[in-house]
Amino acid sequence: MAGNWKMHFNIKESTHLANDLAKAVLGMDDREVVIAPVFTSLAAVTQAVSSSGIKVAAQNSFYKEKGAYTGEITNAMLKDTGCTYVILGHSERRTIFMEDDGLINLKIKAAINSGLDPIFCIGETKEEYDAGLTFNVIERQITLGLSGINSNKLSGLVLAYEPVWAIGTGLTATPEQAQDIHKLIRGLFKKKYNNEVAKNLRIIYGGSVKPSNIDQLMIQLDIDGVLVGGASLDVESFSRIAGFIKT
Ligand code: 13P
């Protein structure tokens, strides 16, 4: 159950929300809760949640180990703050910052090699969805994004399916639509790797996840969790999401 805070909150605000969340998710031991603050808040947030079981993710990283790459940050530097996950391939990185499948592949490899678990985001745009290209797009993103990565390196990977048309728009894929795609994704991993990898892969859904739709999403067989944007910025709504009710 992951909250992507995107470009919100300074150190004080992030720490405040992290502290409140740590209290709110107390006792939710059968699920993993992850929050992804901005770089400047990573160390403080990691510290704030250290005894709570909440894990921390960075929102991006670069694939080089050091050098003249103004404005970039390495996986080792991120690990140094105490975070354990890194979100890669988010549609906002793909569309606003022109990241392509090849670059995302380099970033995923580097993150895995340095011991960070990638939350690898994929998903089709509205135009691709309307043209019936959803599966072609996600197959391409998975194939190119994970190119050259051995199946034994995939145990920590989380795959986030986020249809771009559902991000921040209030439009959510119906739980059944999301389930259909998640099932296809798991099938693809079975074909490309093996049954074991497919079965163990955590496939999470993102795009206008809210307290009002979380329970329906989480009853779907192949939905293992969610990646939440807007609704993760508020302790009440995110703790309701993290505390989804299993039926
Ligand atoms: P929203 O939950 O605001 O639609 O954002 C989803 C998202 O992009 C999470 O990474």
Side-chain angles (χ1 to χ4, degrees):
M1 314 305 289
N4 175 6
W5 292 357
K6 305 191 180 181
M7 200 173 70
H8 292 280
F9 304 142
N10 61 24
I11 297 174
K12 196 171 162 202
E13 293 159 340
S14 307
T15 312
H16 190 82
L17 179 54
N19 279 325
D20 284 352
L21 260 176
K23 284 184 215 130
V25 305
L26 213 68
M28 294 185 193
D29 302 327
D30 62 341
R31 58 204 67 188
E32 186 172 54
V33 179
V34 178
I35 47 179
V38 296
F39 290 142
T40 48
S41 295
L42 280 172
V45 164
T46 307
Q47 182 76 24
V49 298
S50 59
S51 57
S52 73
I54 295 177
K55 303 250 177 80
V56 179
Q59 296 177 22
N60 186 24
S61 65
F62 195 50
Y63 64 90
K64 295 282 189 178
E65 281 174 15
K66 63 177 169 195
Y69 304 102
T70 303
E72 294 299 325
I73 191 156
T74 71
N75 292 294
M77 290 165 188
L78 295 174
K79 269 187 83 175
D80 196 32
T81 69
C83 71
T84 53
Y85 285 103
V86 57
I87 299 173
L88 293 171
H90 193 279
S91 68
E92 286 146 20
R93 301 292 324 168
R94 292 178 190 262
T95 55
I96 305 169
F97 302 99
M98 311 298 165
E99 293 195 11
D100 62 15
D101 295 311
L103 176 60
I104 293 161
N105 176 245
L106 291 170
K107 290 186 173 197
I108 293 175
K109 282 184 189 154
I112 293 175
N113 286 338
S114 65
L116 280 181
D117 289 332
I119 300 174
F120 171 31
C121 303
I122 60 166
E124 81 285 5
T125 63
K126 176 85 171 67
E127 294 70 36
E128 291 161 342
Y129 173 77
D130 287 341
L133 292 172
T134 299
F135 191 64
N136 306 51
V137 170
I138 62 178
E139 184 172 27
R140 188 204 76 225
Q141 290 172 335
I142 290 171
T143 303
L144 299 180
L146 299 182
S147 166
I149 302 174
N150 203 283
S151 62
N152 63 10
K153 298 262 189 179
L154 294 178
S155 56
L157 183 99
V158 177
L159 203 288
Y161 169 58
E162 300 202 297
V164 181
W165 49 270
I167 295 179
T169 58
L171 293 171
T172 326
T174 64
E176 294 74 21
Q177 270 176 320
Q179 162 59 23
D180 283 350
I181 302 298
H182 282 223
K183 195 174 169 192
L184 283 169
I185 293 169
R186 209 178 293 284
L188 192 62
F189 272 77
K190 188 174 170 184
K191 202 173 80 184
K192 285 176 64 66
Y193 300 99
N194 57 52
N195 210 7
E196 199 60 17
V197 170
K199 199 170 67 143
N200 293 333
L201 179 70
R202 289 175 294 172
I203 310 176
I204 66 177
Y205 170 80
S208 300
V209 174
K210 301 181 274 283
S212 58
N213 57 26
I214 186 64
D215 297 335
Q216 282 307 308
L217 286 163
M218 290 305 296
I219 57 173
Q220 305 298 324
L221 202 62
D222 290 292
I223 300 184
D224 302 316
V226 284
L227 182 55
V228 189
S232 72
L233 302 177
D234 170 77
V235 66
E236 224 167 277
S237 66
F238 189 57
S239 57
R240 171 64 185 87
I241 290 169
F244 69 91
I245 297 156
K246 280 185 182 170
T247 45

